[in-house]
Amino acid sequence: MNKKKVDVLLGLQWGDEGKGKIVDVLTPGYQMVARFQGGPNAGHTLEFEGQRYVLRSIPSGIFQGNKLNLIGNGVVLDPVLLREEAEQLAQSGHNIKKRLVISRKAHLILPTHRLLDAAQELSKGAAKIGTTGKGIGPCYTDKVARTGLRVGDIERDFATRYKAVRDRHVDLLQKMGADLSKLPEMEEAFYQAIEYLKGYQFVDSEILVNEALEEGLNVLAEGAQGSLLDVDFGTYPFVTSSNTVSAGCCIGLGISPKAIGRVYGIFKAYCTRVGSGPFPTELQDEVGHMMADRGHEFGAVTGRPRRCGWIDLVALRYTIMLSGVTHLIMMKSDVLDTLSTIKACVAYRIGDKEYKNMPYSLEADIEPIYQELPGWQTPLDGCRSEQDLPDAFRHYVAFLEAQLRVPISIISVGPDRSQTIMRKLNNEL
C-alpha cells in the first residue's frame, strides 16, 4: 500500500477566512482531521442544518461521523476553554470524547499565562499588538524557554510541576504590579478542567499520524489564524506566536516535509483584519462598512469588529509562495454582490518605487495600486453550480487565477455547507 500524504488547509490572509466551514465540507474525504498550531484565540465557525457552532481548539471535522480528530503537539491548549467548548457541543447532541484525542506534547495554557498576557499588553500602551488575551503568547514563550507544562505532565507529578511554573509567573506578575485577586478562582476552574481532561485519550500524536499515513488513511491538517500572522513571515510584530504557513504542519504534527500533499489556501474575496497592525487596502468608507455589515465581520471568539478592505494580491501571491499552495478556495464572494465596481490591489507604491513582491515591512506609507473590474450585481447565495454564476463573477475568478497562478477549486457563496461550489475537486476527493 502506498503511504498517504497529509493535506494541509490554511488561511492566506490575516485569519477569519472561513477555514472551519471548508474543513467541515472536505472532511468526508478524510479519516483524520488534525489541528497543528495556535490556540483558543482562533474561532472556526460552522453553520449547517440551521445551527451555528464556533470551535476554538477542537478540529472542525468533529461533526462528520466517526472521524478521528486530533489536537496536535503544536497547539497550545487551555483546559478551561476546551471543557467549555466540549460541554457546549454535548448540550447540542455532539458527544466528542470518542472522536477527539490530544497530543501529550501539546503545551498547556495556565491561568497565570492569561494574567501575563493582559499585563504585558497593558504595559505596551499605544504600541499594543491587539492580543486576544487568551494567554497564547506567554504559553509559547514558556515553550521556547523550555519552562512550560505539557498535556503529558498531567500523567506525572502535575501539582508539583504546576506550582513551580505558577510561582515563577506570580513573582513576575507582582513585579509588573498586576492584579492577582482573581487567580484563586481561575486556578480552581483550571484544576477542575484538568480532571475533566483526563477523560480524553492522550496520545503520542507524531506516532499516531505517521502510522495512519502508513495504513493508507487520508489526513487533513487544519491551520488556525492566517499566513500574514505567521511569527516569521507575517506583519511582525503584529503577528501570532506560531508558524501558520504549511511548514508549521511538519513541526506541529511531527511529519516529514515530504509527507505534505495538497495545500488548500483559503482567502476571502476581500480582506479583513482584527486588532492592530498594517493593512494597506483597508477601507474606512461606506464600502468598508458595507463589507463589515454584509460579511458579519466580528471575531468569532472576541466579538471584536474586523477591519475591511479590498483584496490584496501582493500579499496573496506571497503567502501562496510560502506554503506551496496547490488549490485555492475563495470565501464570502456573495458579500460583494451589490457593488458595481470591484477593486484588486496588484502592486504597492512606496515613495517613487513600485513593489509587486512583499516589502520587508508594511508599516511604511504604502499606496495600493488597484485594478478595477466590473461587479456582477447579482445575488450569489442561491448559486449551487458553476453554471449558475453570472458572467462578471466568472471574469473576476479568471482574473484572480491569472494573477495568482493557482486554480480556484472551491467557491463559497454563503455560510451553510450547501452554499459551496466545487469547481476542480470533484474527481480528487
Side-chain angles (χ1 to χ4, degrees):
M1 179 181 295
N2 291 330
K3 184 175 179 178
K4 289 284 190 173
K5 296 190 175 186
V6 174
D7 292 343
V8 185
L9 183 143
L10 43 80
L12 296 177
Q13 296 162 315
W14 280 289
D16 310 305
E17 297 93 351
K19 294 177 289 293
K21 171 186 172 175
I22 297 302
V23 173
D24 180 64
V25 168
L26 293 179
T27 297
Y30 296 88
Q31 285 77 51
M32 180 189 296
V33 178
R35 277 280 305 271
F36 64 87
Q37 50 75 222
N41 52 341
H44 291 178
T45 304
L46 297 85
E47 294 188 29
F48 55 90
E49 298 173 358
Q51 298 294 316
R52 182 177 184 270
Y53 304 90
V54 177
L55 301 179
R56 293 175 292 194
S57 298
I58 297 170
S60 301
I62 201 71
F63 298 110
Q64 294 279 6
N66 294 317
K67 312 292 183 177
L68 184 63
N69 289 262
L70 165 67
I71 294 176
N73 61 275
V75 174
V76 291
L77 186 67
D78 186 326
V80 175
L81 294 181
L82 178 69
R83 180 185 181 183
E84 290 177 5
E85 189 175 339
E87 289 180 343
Q88 287 172 2
L89 291 177
Q91 289 174 5
S92 60
H94 299 279
N95 188 345
I96 67 171
K97 284 195 174 181
K98 293 182 179 179
R99 287 180 269 163
L100 178 68
V101 296
I102 304 170
S103 173
R104 289 187 174 92
K105 292 184 173 69
H107 277 249
L108 292 169
I109 299 172
L110 313 183
T112 43
H113 282 139
R114 300 184 70 171
L115 294 176
L116 282 166
D117 205 356
Q120 290 168 358
E121 186 78 343
L122 183 64
S123 71
K124 293 172 183 173
K128 64 182 180 179
I129 61 173
T131 172
T132 59
K134 302 294 183 183
I136 310 298
C139 184
Y140 274 115
T141 298
D142 276 358
K143 176 179 179 176
V144 175
R146 297 160 294 178
T147 57
L149 286 179
R150 303 190 292 181
V151 169
D153 291 322
I154 295 172
E155 301 171 316
R156 306 164 79 189
D157 184 9
F158 185 75
T160 301
R161 293 170 184 271
Y162 172 79
K163 184 177 185 303
V165 179
R166 180 250 194 215
D167 288 351
R168 180 171 52 82
H169 287 171
V170 167
D171 181 59
L172 180 57
L173 285 161
Q174 287 173 336
K175 290 176 180 176
M176 298 176 73
D179 179 7
L180 298 175
S181 61
K182 293 185 179 179
L183 182 56
E185 178 186 342
M186 295 169 70
E187 288 188 315
E188 181 180 358
F190 177 77
Y191 266 100
Q192 291 173 355
I194 289 293
E195 289 302 310
Y196 172 81
L197 211 59
K198 292 177 181 178
Y200 289 87
Q201 182 183 359
F202 302 157
V203 298
D204 297 317
S205 54
E206 65 276 25
I207 305 298
L208 179 70
V209 173
N210 280 285
E211 286 184 346
L213 298 177
E214 290 283 358
E215 294 168 8
L217 301 183
N218 294 323
V219 179
L220 179 63
E222 176 184 10
Q225 288 96 28
S227 299
L228 292 172
L229 296 175
D230 184 276
V231 68
D232 283 291
F233 300 105
T235 50
Y236 193 89
F238 303 96
V239 293
T240 192
S241 300
S242 60
N243 287 113
T244 58
V245 296
S246 62
C249 179
C250 298
I251 299 299
L253 292 180
I255 59 172
S256 160
K258 66 182 180 181
I260 298 291
R262 288 185 287 261
V263 180
Y264 302 107
I266 302 185
F267 68 99
K268 286 176 181 172
Y270 53 102
C271 269
T272 63
R273 178 164 198 165
V274 171
S276 305
F279 185 175
T281 64
E282 182 175 9
L283 296 173
Q284 295 178 323
D285 58 10
E286 66 276 6
V287 176
H289 295 316
M290 179 279 296
M291 291 174 177
D293 183 54
R294 285 180 58 88
H296 305 290
E297 297 296 354
F298 297 90
V301 169
T302 64
R304 291 185 296 177
R306 298 178 186 136
R307 301 151 62 192
C308 297
W310 296 116
I311 194 167
D312 187 336
L313 302 185
V314 178
L316 272 181
R317 284 192 294 263
Y318 181 66
T319 54
I320 287 168
M321 174 194 73
L322 289 173
S323 287
V325 172
T326 60
H327 298 73
L328 287 171
I329 300 172
M330 183 162 68
M331 310 298 291
K332 291 198 169 182
S333 309
D334 53 301
V335 171
L336 306 182
D337 283 353
T338 61
L339 296 174
S340 59
T341 300
I342 309 292
K343 292 184 180 181
C345 173
V346 294
Y348 299 153
R349 183 174 289 113
I350 304 176
D352 58 358
K353 188 174 181 180
E354 187 173 309
Y355 292 80
K356 290 196 174 181
N357 293 318
M358 283 283 278
Y360 169 72
S361 172
L362 292 187
E363 293 188 86
D365 186 12
I366 293 176
E367 177 190 349
I369 299 174
Y370 289 113
Q371 183 162 334
E372 296 188 358
L373 296 97
W376 41 95
Q377 296 184 286
T378 303
L380 297 180
D381 58 359
C383 297
R384 293 297 180 270
S385 70
E386 193 168 1
Q387 290 69 36
D388 297 336
L389 298 170
D391 289 342
F393 179 74
R394 293 194 204 187
H395 175 70
Y396 180 60
V397 171
F399 165 78
L400 294 178
E401 288 183 320
Q403 288 280 322
L404 302 174
R405 298 182 181 180
V406 179
I408 297 176
S409 300
I410 298 176
I411 295 171
S412 174
V413 293
D416 196 84
R417 275 179 188 166
S418 64
Q419 294 172 301
T420 311
I421 297 173
M422 311 290 281
R423 296 184 70 227
K424 301 176 182 180
L425 276 178
N426 291 329
N427 296 326
E428 296 186 35
L429 294 176

